[in-house]
Amino acid sequence: MNHNALPLFEVFIRSKRGLDHRHVGSLHAQGHEQALEYARDVYLRRSEGVSIWVVNSSDIVASQESDVEQFYDPMDDKPYRHATHYQLPDEVKNL
Amino acid sequence: MQEKEHERRQQEFDAKVANEERIEPKDWMPHDYRKTVLRQMSQHAHSEVIGMQPEGNWITRAPTLRRKAILLAKIQDEAGHGLYLYSAAETLGTSREDMIAALHLGKAKYASIFNYPALTWADMGAIGWLVDGAAIVNQVSLQRTSYGPYSRAMIRICKEESFHQRQGYQIMLVLARGSAEQKALAQDALDRWWWPSLMMFGPHDAESAHTAKSMQWKLKRESNDRLRQKFVDQTVPQAECIGLKMPDPDLSWNEDRGHYDFGEIDWDEFWQVVSGNGPCNRQRLAHHIKAQQDGAWVREAMHAYQEKQQARSARSAA
Amino acid sequence: MNSKANKQDANKQDIVNYAIALGDDSLTLGHRLSEWSSNAPFLEEDLALTNVALDFIGRAMMFYSYAGEAEGAGRSEDDIAYLRDCRQYRNLLICELPIGDFADTMARQFLIDVYDVGFYTELMQSVDETLAAIAAKAIKESRYHLRRSEQWIKRLGDGTGESHDRIQRAFNDVWGYTHELFEVDKIEESLINQGIAVDRPALKTDWERCVQSVLNEATLDTPDGQWSIRGGRAGLHTEHLGYLLAELQFMQRAYPGLEW
């Protein structure tokens, strides 16, 4: 282990109240507390947010490209989950 | 069988690029694409970080408190941009330490412009106006680069960078409208920074080793010469507007082309600086290496402290 | 009547000088911190340190522009910063010391952050509304600065053998400059009595308690209080300030009276 390499954290910012946290990038820090502080210095220099999440990058479990077929393709043939699937007469409002 | 699979993936990749879809970190990508995008991002990140030095050398001497704060904030943005780009590059599994090690070994490059010295306060104006101006022309086109994390970093960077060029131009404006001495400072800075700024776009398209492939992959969206022309066209009127003269006798408006014609870059100088023999190459690298070495004990301390903390919380949990 | 007017003038000048002294504290320290740009141990810390520098430079601008206004002699914030020599500067000596290594910078910063949190909390109560308003902004910054520097003291003190030795040495070397944080002269005393200035001697007990507790946790010894160096508020500085001003003021001295 390289003692000089600090762990990587992913940073998520809520830009204003009512919105989701969004991934903005990553940074290196010694622990969660410091990662939060650096996130403020690195990603909020122009008041871009009201709330920060930091997550150890190694804790993120990501789907693999090889999973694409089993994960996402089966969802493609279920148009009945979308409102646009249901054709209604134009006179009907507020639906 | 394996070959067929590879071909299928290559086709999928090509289709994504052709459809202006972004390539994301977990996607399959050709080996050379990965290598090229990593080289481009790390070079870009190093440029931001090394680029802090020429301006950094004027922080303590800025002529007013307001200028000092602006300059500091601008240089801080450059650190931030370096960080965004390292962060984008790290999505490909190469650590920042490795990228910095490559820089220190001379294997990774950074923009040659930063190997010129910042001699007077007017250079802060020229750098913001010309160097950031040239960088922005390039970066605007890179917002549509095909690698997702790189493109997103560029969008963020362009948003922040708009103030950099304006503050630089405004420094020049004040000088150009100031005393004779100040105007001379501004003209001298323009004379020294103009040609190196044009060099920032790299060799002519015909001689650029990476251009064709990068364009095909949509990593690069516009060619060196096109971007350079764009920069000249937008900058010449800005100089005229504040009464400064471009140091190029061949510069003239070409009605037929609808562009400015301009003189030939001194390519000998260009290659000299690229290959490490510019006025400040050694100084810039030595500075970066020293800061890295001086900080080693701090990073080690952080690591040791973290381990102790973890051991403590493990003990108290047991 | 006349003597009352004179007294008011004298008091006004005292407030001007007080604001300038607070501006000098902020500017010299902000200037020092800005020297970390491109020199920090890693990129995140470079951004963080220069953020702190910007806070202090911003504070200096507020104090100076208030001093200029209150004085009414047409001096701008830049006139005050750039056109006074060493003997007219009134900052506490600790602020002007060179940055040294990262341990020196953090030891100084921590001691000042603890002091500033106490100081600006009190200054918010000043009967002088402008000083109170500046303090209300500064206190938020200083609380954050302290959160950072306190963590750093713990990390360095309880990190490796080398970091422990470096930060211990840094505290030992800077300690003598902390005494004057809590010493005031007659003029400042009078401003304290009027509710304008902060009673700095009264901050000392809390400051010592806080510093000692963090140093303990960081496995560090609190240096002994024998030696002390003072004189900043009287314009008696270390040799370092001259060089700081030579750089800071270079442009204004080389090209006097111009706009930038």
Side-chain angles (χ1 to χ4, degrees):
Chain A
M1 163 97 200
N2 177 359
H3 279 216
N4 256 322
L6 299 167
L8 192 63
F9 289 84
E10 300 299 323
V11 181
F12 300 79
I13 305 282
R14 185 201 293 287
S15 58
K16 62 179 186 199
R17 305 188 65 81
L19 296 182
D20 287 326
H21 284 77
R22 248 183 86 187
H23 183 244
V24 292
S26 61
L27 52 78
H28 291 271
Q30 165 239 307
H32 289 99
E33 196 59 28
Q34 195 185 32
L36 265 184
E37 293 173 10
Y38 283 147
R40 167 209 190 255
D41 290 316
V42 171
Y43 290 102
L44 296 184
R45 291 195 305 292
R46 291 175 173 77
S47 317
E48 292 95 333
V50 295
S51 162
I52 309 172
W53 289 349
V54 291
V55 183
N56 211 319
S57 305
S58 60
D59 286 342
I60 290 185
V61 181
S63 62
Q64 298 298 314
E65 203 208 3
S66 52
D67 293 335
V68 163
E69 288 180 8
Q70 11 174 339
F71 264 58
Y72 311 111
D73 290 358
M75 311 297 185
D76 286 349
D77 64 353
K78 298 178 180 65
Y80 44 81
R81 285 198 172 114
H82 301 277
T84 48
H85 180 68
Y86 305 91
Q87 299 287 330
L88 297 178
D90 289 346
E91 311 85 82
V92 183
K93 303 291 183 202
N94 297 322
L95 256 177
Chain B
M1 183 68 195
Q2 230 174 13
E3 220 165 274
K4 227 175 171 181
E5 175 65 12
H6 183 270
E7 205 170 296
R8 187 185 63 81
R9 292 181 143 182
Q10 178 75 51
Q11 277 167 1
E12 271 180 16
F13 172 87
D14 291 342
K16 276 184 205 156
V17 171
N19 292 330
E20 291 290 328
E21 281 180 55
R22 296 287 174 261
I23 305 301
E24 295 296 342
K26 299 258 176 212
D27 292 350
W28 182 89
M29 59 191 90
H31 176 73
D32 284 348
Y33 177 89
R34 178 183 293 270
K35 222 174 91 181
T36 306
V37 71
L38 186 61
R39 180 180 52 77
Q40 202 171 321
M41 284 190 292
S42 86
Q43 182 169 329
H44 201 154
H46 295 326
S47 300
E48 295 282 354
V49 171
I50 298 290
M52 296 163 68
Q53 290 183 33
E55 289 171 291
N57 120 61
W58 276 91
I59 295 171
T60 56
R61 291 179 291 168
T64 69
L65 294 178
R66 191 175 140 263
R67 290 289 182 203
K68 188 192 283 294
I70 293 171
L71 185 61
L72 195 51
K74 173 180 190 274
I75 295 168
Q76 202 185 26
D77 273 353
E78 278 150 20
H81 298 169
L83 203 147
Y84 305 158
L85 286 158
Y86 283 129
S87 154
E90 281 180 294
T91 57
L92 290 175
T94 304
S95 72
R96 195 195 299 173
E97 279 68 31
D98 290 344
M99 288 184 260
I100 289 174
L103 172 70
H104 291 177
L105 288 170
K107 286 185 190 161
K109 300 250 179 259
Y110 57 87
S112 280
I113 189 88
F114 303 119
N115 292 316
Y116 290 88
L119 300 179
T120 73
W121 171 252
D123 289 21
M124 298 304 98
I127 291 176
W129 174 33
L130 303 174
V131 178
D132 287 271
I136 290 168
V137 166
N138 189 31
Q139 286 165 354
V140 164
S141 86
L142 285 175
Q143 291 183 96
R144 295 181 300 123
T145 189
S146 58
Y147 187 58
Y150 193 21
S151 149
R152 290 191 286 276
M154 277 298 115
I155 290 168
R156 176 173 271 274
I157 287 171
C158 284
K159 217 191 263 172
E160 295 190 354
E161 217 156 73
S162 52
F163 106 79
H164 293 187
Q165 194 187 11
R166 290 174 74 98
Q167 66 87 34
Y169 186 67
Q170 209 245 341
I171 288 175
M172 293 301 258
L173 175 79
V174 171
L175 294 177
R177 292 185 179 164
S179 70
E181 224 173 0
Q182 283 176 307
K183 191 164 183 188
L185 280 175
Q187 184 62 54
D188 167 64
L190 172 58
D191 291 349
R192 282 182 291 110
W193 289 94
W194 173 246
W195 289 105
S197 302
L198 295 188
M199 293 178 198
M200 283 175 74
F201 297 96
H204 283 312
D205 297 339
E207 278 125 57
S208 175
H210 305 293
T211 292
K213 204 73 194 165
S214 288
M215 296 279 286
Q216 187 195 327
W217 281 327
K218 296 190 179 169
L219 274 173
K220 242 175 116 86
R221 301 307 309 249
E222 286 185 80
S223 77
N224 294 353
D225 285 327
R226 267 187 70 120
L227 291 170
R228 186 162 23 231
Q229 182 72 57
K230 203 180 251 183
F231 174 67
V232 171
D233 288 349
Q234 74 181 38
T235 310
V236 172
Q238 293 167 354
E240 280 167 3
C241 188
I242 53 176
L244 295 179
K245 197 175 166 316
M246 286 297 185
D248 180 357
D250 298 326
L251 187 79
S252 65
W253 176 253
N254 183 326
E255 195 64 54
D256 295 340
R257 290 204 308 129
H259 292 292
Y260 281 94
D261 290 335
F262 53 98
E264 194 56 43
I265 286 169
D266 179 347
W267 293 107
D268 281 346
E269 178 182 326
F270 173 82
W271 290 113
Q272 278 295 319
V273 181
V274 168
S275 61
N277 300 324
C280 300
N281 294 59
R282 283 166 179 76
Q283 176 193 337
R284 301 285 185 242
L285 210 52
H287 183 138
H288 197 267
I289 291 171
K290 182 174 186 302
Q292 179 81 1
Q293 286 172 348
D294 287 351
W297 70 270
V298 178
R299 299 189 298 273
E300 277 159 19
M302 294 167 77
H303 187 80
Y305 179 75
Q306 177 75 356
E307 295 216 314
K308 286 184 195 177
Q309 291 287 90
Q310 277 166 354
R312 270 179 213 130
S313 60
R315 263 203 308 280
S316 66
Chain C
M1 183 69 201
N2 216 350
S3 96
K4 196 181 168 194
N6 279 344
K7 204 173 160 195
Q8 271 180 354
D9 278 354
N11 203 41
K12 191 181 79 180
Q13 193 56 46
D14 292 342
I15 295 174
V16 168
N17 290 341
Y18 186 63
I20 288 178
L22 297 181
D24 290 348
D25 288 342
S26 307
L27 179 58
T28 46
L29 185 59
H31 182 101
R32 286 305 188 201
L33 284 166
S34 76
E35 294 175 25
W36 276 102
S37 177
S38 273
N39 293 306
F42 49 99
L43 212 41
E44 285 82 352
E45 187 59 26
D46 207 299
L47 279 142
L49 274 171
T50 45
N51 255 354
V52 180
L54 277 170
D55 287 343
F56 280 100
I57 292 167
R59 252 179 235 185
M61 291 163 81
M62 289 189 286
F63 281 123
Y64 289 153
S65 73
Y66 174 50
E69 268 168 43
E71 188 179 49
R75 277 205 290 176
S76 71
E77 56 186 47
D78 288 326
D79 292 337
I80 296 173
Y82 290 88
L83 302 178
R84 287 175 303 139
D85 199 353
C86 184
R87 295 282 283 116
Q88 280 95 48
Y89 260 73
R90 287 290 182 270
N91 60 284
L92 298 163
L93 300 178
I94 192 170
C95 300
E96 74 195 39
L97 298 176
I99 56 174
D101 68 6
F102 191 72
D104 291 315
T105 286
M106 275 305 154
R108 181 232 317 255
Q109 195 60 42
F110 169 66
L111 297 174
I112 290 182
D113 290 342
V114 177
Y115 165 82
D116 272 355
V117 167
F119 181 86
Y120 287 111
T121 304
E122 290 304 313
L123 191 64
M124 280 167 67
Q125 309 302 320
S126 172
V127 296
D128 183 306
E129 284 173 13
T130 310
L131 291 178
I134 296 172
K137 182 169 184 303
I139 186 68
K140 293 183 201 158
E141 299 164 351
S142 281
R143 287 202 186 107
Y144 185 73
H145 301 166
L146 176 58
R147 170 178 164 157
R148 257 177 52 77
S149 59
E150 181 181 330
Q151 279 302 316
W152 270 118
I153 300 313
K154 291 178 189 167
R155 275 184 210 112
L156 299 179
D158 197 15
T160 62
E162 180 181 4
S163 71
H164 180 275
D165 292 350
R166 281 182 187 250
I167 191 71
Q168 182 67 63
R169 179 198 45 73
F171 275 113
N172 295 347
D173 286 350
V174 77
W175 198 255
Y177 296 93
T178 60
H179 302 277
E180 71 165 355
L181 298 177
F182 310 102
E183 296 167 355
V184 295
D185 61 12
K186 284 250 152 26
I187 295 170
E188 194 166 337
E189 216 162 75
S190 136
L191 291 176
I192 295 168
N193 291 334
Q194 297 170 66
I196 296 166
V198 173
D199 184 356
R200 294 193 283 131
L203 301 174
K204 191 166 188 179
T205 319
D206 278 352
W207 180 86
E208 282 174 339
R209 194 181 309 131
C210 177
V211 168
Q212 182 138 29
S213 110
V214 173
L215 263 58
N216 278 347
E217 204 186 321
T219 72
L220 296 166
D221 298 326
T222 306
D224 75 59
Q226 295 307 309
W227 68 290
S228 68
I229 300 172
R230 44 176 60 88
R233 287 284 190 258
L236 294 165
H237 290 275
T238 68
E239 289 180 347
H240 306 296
L241 184 66
Y243 292 96
L244 187 156
L245 296 182
E247 273 191 53
L248 175 79
Q249 301 178 340
F250 161 66
M251 288 296 292
Q252 292 282 353
R253 302 294 190 178
Y255 303 92
L258 300 176
E259 295 290 316
W260 300 97

